[in-house]
Amino acid sequence: MHLSSSPDPVIDANLAVALDALLAEQSVTRAAARLHTSPAAMSRTLARLRRILQDPLLVRAGQTMVPTPRAQALREEAAAVVRSLGALLAPGTGVDPAALRSTFTVQTADLVGAALAPGLLRLARQEAPGVSLRFRAEELEAGPALREGRIDLEIGSIDHVDPETRVEELVTLRMAAVVRPGHPLAEGALTPERLAAAEHVVVSRRGRFTGPLDTALAERNLQRRVTVVLPSHLAALTLAARSDAVCLIPTALPGAAPSPLTDPATTLGLRLLDIPLPLPPLTIGMAWHPRHAADGGHYWLRDTVRRTLHAAGGPAMEGC
């Protein structure tokens, strides 16, 4: 026995939009103007709708047109369909932050996380109270983690180059030295010789003892004394606050607004000293996967990071 089935109807969203305009305006001319088309084209569309719905929809009554009972029954439904289509096809960046119910995972160094978390949390409470933030240490390879959705955003010195990864540079900083109040380096002019002779703590996730400062000192035949390597900036700052160890942290370039990355040092009462050597600048950026580029919630997250990172704060440099 051969069974035949009728083909699925072709769904034309333009017909729904036209039906809504015709039923709302009850005039071919006004509906055409509303949809920026010609009255002739709208008349053809009305004829098509009449054939599909098997109802005249709008009938002449003197100088006007009036809806049929079927048209009256369809009016609210047609308007609702058009509203749904508009919401479906609207750009994702138009999201209302107050309506977000999301958890965003951000991978960054502890110093950047400590600097950003208060500002991000404050803005989330004000604008998007349904948003939660999860900060992860720099423990995952960022490229695959972004691609696989294990993290939403990487913030820091972006050193991986994946073709699909979107990267935005946020701010360029320089390195400064921080010492406890009363430290000998805080008195008098800080010279390369005095800096090299001091006790240093180095921050390195990979346990490295050397960095750009050692290269700059070596050009002057100087070598600093590194007594401890720690994987965390916050641990290094705490050690500097309780000992004579010198720690390096990023701070704003001359003439730029103070960076919130110096806030943890300020909280510990540390003093910032200008390093009397040419060191390469440090660029802080953020990276994300392109599938999040047009997502409204992710757009809000990235904008919030920008606003927080550029917020003024932190102490003035000494020795500038």
Side-chain angles (χ1 to χ4, degrees), residues 299-320:
Y299 183 89
W300 173 87
L301 174 65
R302 299 195 302 269
D303 182 64
T304 305
V305 169
R306 292 185 198 101
R307 287 184 283 157
T308 301
L309 194 57
H310 289 98
M317 289 284 294
E318 297 182 33
C320 294

PDB file of all heavy atoms in Angstrom, residues 299-320:
ATOM      1  N   TYR A 299      29.436  40.305  25.729  1.00  0.00           N
ATOM      2  CA  TYR A 299      29.738  41.695  25.379  1.00  0.00           C
ATOM      3  C   TYR A 299      29.731  42.558  26.641  1.00  0.00           C
ATOM      4  O   TYR A 299      30.612  43.406  26.828  1.00  0.00           O
ATOM      5  CB  TYR A 299      28.705  42.202  24.379  1.00  0.00           C
ATOM      6  CG  TYR A 299      28.944  43.610  23.890  1.00  0.00           C
ATOM      7  CD1 TYR A 299      29.725  43.855  22.772  1.00  0.00           C
ATOM      8  CD2 TYR A 299      28.370  44.705  24.542  1.00  0.00           C
ATOM      9  CE1 TYR A 299      29.944  45.142  22.310  1.00  0.00           C
ATOM     10  CE2 TYR A 299      28.585  45.996  24.106  1.00  0.00           C
ATOM     11  CZ  TYR A 299      29.368  46.207  22.991  1.00  0.00           C
ATOM     12  OH  TYR A 299      29.575  47.491  22.554  1.00  0.00           O
ATOM     13  N   TRP A 300      28.743  42.338  27.512  1.00  0.00           N
ATOM     14  CA  TRP A 300      28.687  43.081  28.787  1.00  0.00           C
ATOM     15  C   TRP A 300      29.909  42.762  29.634  1.00  0.00           C
ATOM     16  O   TRP A 300      30.505  43.667  30.234  1.00  0.00           O
ATOM     17  CB  TRP A 300      27.409  42.724  29.542  1.00  0.00           C
ATOM     18  CG  TRP A 300      27.372  43.329  30.915  1.00  0.00           C
ATOM     19  CD1 TRP A 300      26.925  44.561  31.280  1.00  0.00           C
ATOM     20  CD2 TRP A 300      27.842  42.721  32.139  1.00  0.00           C
ATOM     21  NE1 TRP A 300      27.086  44.773  32.617  1.00  0.00           N
ATOM     22  CE2 TRP A 300      27.645  43.663  33.179  1.00  0.00           C
ATOM     23  CE3 TRP A 300      28.394  41.482  32.449  1.00  0.00           C
ATOM     24  CZ2 TRP A 300      27.982  43.405  34.501  1.00  0.00           C
ATOM     25  CZ3 TRP A 300      28.743  41.217  33.764  1.00  0.00           C
ATOM     26  CH2 TRP A 300      28.534  42.174  34.772  1.00  0.00           C
ATOM     27  N   LEU A 301      30.307  41.492  29.687  1.00  0.00           N
ATOM     28  CA  LEU A 301      31.473  41.102  30.478  1.00  0.00           C
ATOM     29  C   LEU A 301      32.725  41.816  29.995  1.00  0.00           C
ATOM     30  O   LEU A 301      33.484  42.385  30.788  1.00  0.00           O
ATOM     31  CB  LEU A 301      31.668  39.586  30.408  1.00  0.00           C
ATOM     32  CG  LEU A 301      32.935  39.038  31.070  1.00  0.00           C
ATOM     33  CD1 LEU A 301      32.902  39.257  32.574  1.00  0.00           C
ATOM     34  CD2 LEU A 301      33.116  37.556  30.739  1.00  0.00           C
ATOM     35  N   ARG A 302      32.953  41.813  28.691  1.00  0.00           N
ATOM     36  CA  ARG A 302      34.157  42.458  28.152  1.00  0.00           C
ATOM     37  C   ARG A 302      34.141  43.961  28.405  1.00  0.00           C
ATOM     38  O   ARG A 302      35.164  44.550  28.764  1.00  0.00           O
ATOM     39  CB  ARG A 302      34.282  42.161  26.650  1.00  0.00           C
ATOM     40  CG  ARG A 302      34.410  40.689  26.312  1.00  0.00           C
ATOM     41  CD  ARG A 302      34.883  40.459  24.879  1.00  0.00           C
ATOM     42  NE  ARG A 302      34.033  41.050  23.886  1.00  0.00           N
ATOM     43  CZ  ARG A 302      33.000  40.443  23.286  1.00  0.00           C
ATOM     44  NH1 ARG A 302      32.669  39.198  23.653  1.00  0.00           N
ATOM     45  NH2 ARG A 302      32.305  41.047  22.352  1.00  0.00           N
ATOM     46  N   ASP A 303      32.987  44.582  28.242  1.00  0.00           N
ATOM     47  CA  ASP A 303      32.885  46.018  28.495  1.00  0.00           C
ATOM     48  C   ASP A 303      33.130  46.330  29.970  1.00  0.00           C
ATOM     49  O   ASP A 303      33.761  47.334  30.306  1.00  0.00           O
ATOM     50  CB  ASP A 303      31.505  46.518  28.071  1.00  0.00           C
ATOM     51  CG  ASP A 303      31.361  48.020  28.269  1.00  0.00           C
ATOM     52  OD1 ASP A 303      32.089  48.778  27.613  1.00  0.00           O
ATOM     53  OD2 ASP A 303      30.519  48.427  29.101  1.00  0.00           O
ATOM     54  N   THR A 304      32.657  45.465  30.844  1.00  0.00           N
ATOM     55  CA  THR A 304      32.852  45.666  32.282  1.00  0.00           C
ATOM     56  C   THR A 304      34.329  45.534  32.652  1.00  0.00           C
ATOM     57  O   THR A 304      34.838  46.285  33.493  1.00  0.00           O
ATOM     58  CB  THR A 304      32.005  44.654  33.075  1.00  0.00           C
ATOM     59  OG1 THR A 304      30.641  44.763  32.675  1.00  0.00           O
ATOM     60  CG2 THR A 304      32.091  44.926  34.571  1.00  0.00           C
ATOM     61  N   VAL A 305      35.030  44.603  32.025  1.00  0.00           N
ATOM     62  CA  VAL A 305      36.477  44.465  32.258  1.00  0.00           C
ATOM     63  C   VAL A 305      37.192  45.740  31.822  1.00  0.00           C
ATOM     64  O   VAL A 305      38.067  46.244  32.536  1.00  0.00           O
ATOM     65  CB  VAL A 305      37.026  43.242  31.502  1.00  0.00           C
ATOM     66  CG1 VAL A 305      38.563  43.250  31.515  1.00  0.00           C
ATOM     67  CG2 VAL A 305      36.515  41.952  32.136  1.00  0.00           C
ATOM     68  N   ARG A 306      36.812  46.266  30.648  1.00  0.00           N
ATOM     69  CA  ARG A 306      37.445  47.513  30.179  1.00  0.00           C
ATOM     70  C   ARG A 306      37.249  48.632  31.186  1.00  0.00           C
ATOM     71  O   ARG A 306      38.190  49.345  31.546  1.00  0.00           O
ATOM     72  CB  ARG A 306      36.839  47.930  28.838  1.00  0.00           C
ATOM     73  CG  ARG A 306      37.148  47.016  27.678  1.00  0.00           C
ATOM     74  CD  ARG A 306      36.608  47.597  26.381  1.00  0.00           C
ATOM     75  NE  ARG A 306      36.518  46.575  25.348  1.00  0.00           N
ATOM     76  CZ  ARG A 306      35.400  45.958  24.994  1.00  0.00           C
ATOM     77  NH1 ARG A 306      34.249  46.281  25.575  1.00  0.00           N
ATOM     78  NH2 ARG A 306      35.415  45.028  24.063  1.00  0.00           N
ATOM     79  N   ARG A 307      36.007  48.808  31.628  1.00  0.00           N
ATOM     80  CA  ARG A 307      35.709  49.906  32.551  1.00  0.00           C
ATOM     81  C   ARG A 307      36.443  49.738  33.875  1.00  0.00           C
ATOM     82  O   ARG A 307      36.939  50.709  34.456  1.00  0.00           O
ATOM     83  CB  ARG A 307      34.203  49.993  32.785  1.00  0.00           C
ATOM     84  CG  ARG A 307      33.436  50.550  31.590  1.00  0.00           C
ATOM     85  CD  ARG A 307      31.962  50.700  31.926  1.00  0.00           C
ATOM     86  NE  ARG A 307      31.267  49.426  31.904  1.00  0.00           N
ATOM     87  CZ  ARG A 307      30.128  49.184  32.561  1.00  0.00           C
ATOM     88  NH1 ARG A 307      29.613  50.116  33.336  1.00  0.00           N
ATOM     89  NH2 ARG A 307      29.536  48.015  32.463  1.00  0.00           N
ATOM     90  N   THR A 308      36.532  48.510  34.361  1.00  0.00           N
ATOM     91  CA  THR A 308      37.188  48.270  35.649  1.00  0.00           C
ATOM     92  C   THR A 308      38.692  48.487  35.546  1.00  0.00           C
ATOM     93  O   THR A 308      39.304  49.115  36.413  1.00  0.00           O
ATOM     94  CB  THR A 308      36.903  46.836  36.119  1.00  0.00           C
ATOM     95  OG1 THR A 308      35.492  46.645  36.235  1.00  0.00           O
ATOM     96  CG2 THR A 308      37.550  46.577  37.473  1.00  0.00           C
ATOM     97  N   LEU A 309      39.295  47.980  34.457  1.00  0.00           N
ATOM     98  CA  LEU A 309      40.747  48.083  34.328  1.00  0.00           C
ATOM     99  C   LEU A 309      41.197  49.520  34.124  1.00  0.00           C
ATOM    100  O   LEU A 309      42.307  49.894  34.497  1.00  0.00           O
ATOM    101  CB  LEU A 309      41.226  47.221  33.162  1.00  0.00           C
ATOM    102  CG  LEU A 309      42.728  46.954  33.086  1.00  0.00           C
ATOM    103  CD1 LEU A 309      43.238  46.310  34.371  1.00  0.00           C
ATOM    104  CD2 LEU A 309      43.059  46.081  31.894  1.00  0.00           C
ATOM    105  N   HIS A 310      40.332  50.351  33.556  1.00  0.00           N
ATOM    106  CA  HIS A 310      40.701  51.746  33.323  1.00  0.00           C
ATOM    107  C   HIS A 310      40.249  52.672  34.441  1.00  0.00           C
ATOM    108  O   HIS A 310      40.413  53.883  34.352  1.00  0.00           O
ATOM    109  CB  HIS A 310      40.123  52.237  31.992  1.00  0.00           C
ATOM    110  CG  HIS A 310      40.811  51.628  30.804  1.00  0.00           C
ATOM    111  ND1 HIS A 310      40.308  50.565  30.130  1.00  0.00           N
ATOM    112  CD2 HIS A 310      41.986  51.931  30.205  1.00  0.00           C
ATOM    113  CE1 HIS A 310      41.119  50.225  29.141  1.00  0.00           C
ATOM    114  NE2 HIS A 310      42.152  51.048  29.170  1.00  0.00           N
ATOM    115  N   ALA A 311      39.668  52.096  35.495  1.00  0.00           N
ATOM    116  CA  ALA A 311      39.254  52.935  36.634  1.00  0.00           C
ATOM    117  C   ALA A 311      40.497  53.466  37.328  1.00  0.00           C
ATOM    118  O   ALA A 311      41.504  52.778  37.491  1.00  0.00           O
ATOM    119  CB  ALA A 311      38.415  52.108  37.611  1.00  0.00           C
ATOM    120  N   ALA A 312      40.432  54.718  37.736  1.00  0.00           N
ATOM    121  CA  ALA A 312      41.565  55.336  38.427  1.00  0.00           C
ATOM    122  C   ALA A 312      41.722  54.752  39.806  1.00  0.00           C
ATOM    123  O   ALA A 312      40.763  54.410  40.472  1.00  0.00           O
ATOM    124  CB  ALA A 312      41.366  56.847  38.527  1.00  0.00           C
ATOM    125  N   GLY A 313      42.942  54.623  40.222  1.00  0.00           N
ATOM    126  CA  GLY A 313      43.216  54.127  41.570  1.00  0.00           C
ATOM    127  C   GLY A 313      44.704  53.913  41.743  1.00  0.00           C
ATOM    128  O   GLY A 313      45.464  53.945  40.804  1.00  0.00           O
ATOM    129  N   GLY A 314      45.123  53.684  42.963  1.00  0.00           N
ATOM    130  CA  GLY A 314      46.530  53.394  43.205  1.00  0.00           C
ATOM    131  C   GLY A 314      47.320  54.636  43.580  1.00  0.00           C
ATOM    132  O   GLY A 314      46.911  55.756  43.367  1.00  0.00           O
ATOM    133  N   PRO A 315      48.502  54.438  44.133  1.00  0.00           N
ATOM    134  CA  PRO A 315      49.315  55.541  44.617  1.00  0.00           C
ATOM    135  C   PRO A 315      50.159  56.166  43.528  1.00  0.00           C
ATOM    136  O   PRO A 315      50.375  55.596  42.465  1.00  0.00           O
ATOM    137  CB  PRO A 315      50.216  54.849  45.643  1.00  0.00           C
ATOM    138  CG  PRO A 315      50.408  53.485  45.072  1.00  0.00           C
ATOM    139  CD  PRO A 315      49.113  53.132  44.384  1.00  0.00           C
ATOM    140  N   ALA A 316      50.665  57.343  43.781  1.00  0.00           N
ATOM    141  CA  ALA A 316      51.606  57.977  42.870  1.00  0.00           C
ATOM    142  C   ALA A 316      52.961  57.306  43.001  1.00  0.00           C
ATOM    143  O   ALA A 316      53.333  56.797  44.047  1.00  0.00           O
ATOM    144  CB  ALA A 316      51.716  59.475  43.177  1.00  0.00           C
ATOM    145  N   MET A 317      53.708  57.319  41.905  1.00  0.00           N
ATOM    146  CA  MET A 317      55.050  56.722  41.931  1.00  0.00           C
ATOM    147  C   MET A 317      56.008  57.632  42.670  1.00  0.00           C
ATOM    148  O   MET A 317      55.889  58.862  42.601  1.00  0.00           O
ATOM    149  CB  MET A 317      55.539  56.531  40.488  1.00  0.00           C
ATOM    150  CG  MET A 317      54.811  55.437  39.733  1.00  0.00           C
ATOM    151  SD  MET A 317      55.363  53.812  40.252  1.00  0.00           S
ATOM    152  CE  MET A 317      57.049  53.836  39.677  1.00  0.00           C
ATOM    153  N   GLU A 318      56.941  57.020  43.347  1.00  0.00           N
ATOM    154  CA  GLU A 318      58.015  57.787  43.975  1.00  0.00           C
ATOM    155  C   GLU A 318      59.251  57.699  43.082  1.00  0.00           C
ATOM    156  O   GLU A 318      59.503  56.692  42.425  1.00  0.00           O
ATOM    157  CB  GLU A 318      58.346  57.191  45.351  1.00  0.00           C
ATOM    158  CG  GLU A 318      57.172  57.268  46.319  1.00  0.00           C
ATOM    159  CD  GLU A 318      57.528  56.712  47.671  1.00  0.00           C
ATOM    160  OE1 GLU A 318      58.697  56.863  48.068  1.00  0.00           O
ATOM    161  OE2 GLU A 318      56.673  56.156  48.335  1.00  0.00           O
ATOM    162  N   GLY A 319      59.999  58.776  43.046  1.00  0.00           N
ATOM    163  CA  GLY A 319      61.233  58.778  42.278  1.00  0.00           C
ATOM    164  C   GLY A 319      61.036  59.108  40.822  1.00  0.00           C
ATOM    165  O   GLY A 319      61.937  58.956  40.017  1.00  0.00           O
ATOM    166  N   CYS A 320      59.787  59.526  40.407  1.00  0.00           N
ATOM    167  CA  CYS A 320      59.535  59.852  38.999  1.00  0.00           C
ATOM    168  C   CYS A 320      60.031  61.257  38.687  1.00  0.00           C
ATOM    169  O   CYS A 320      59.982  62.107  39.539  1.00  0.00           O
ATOM    170  CB  CYS A 320      58.049  59.782  38.697  1.00  0.00           C
ATOM    171  SG  CYS A 320      57.386  58.105  38.830  1.00  0.00           S
TER     172      CYS A 320
END
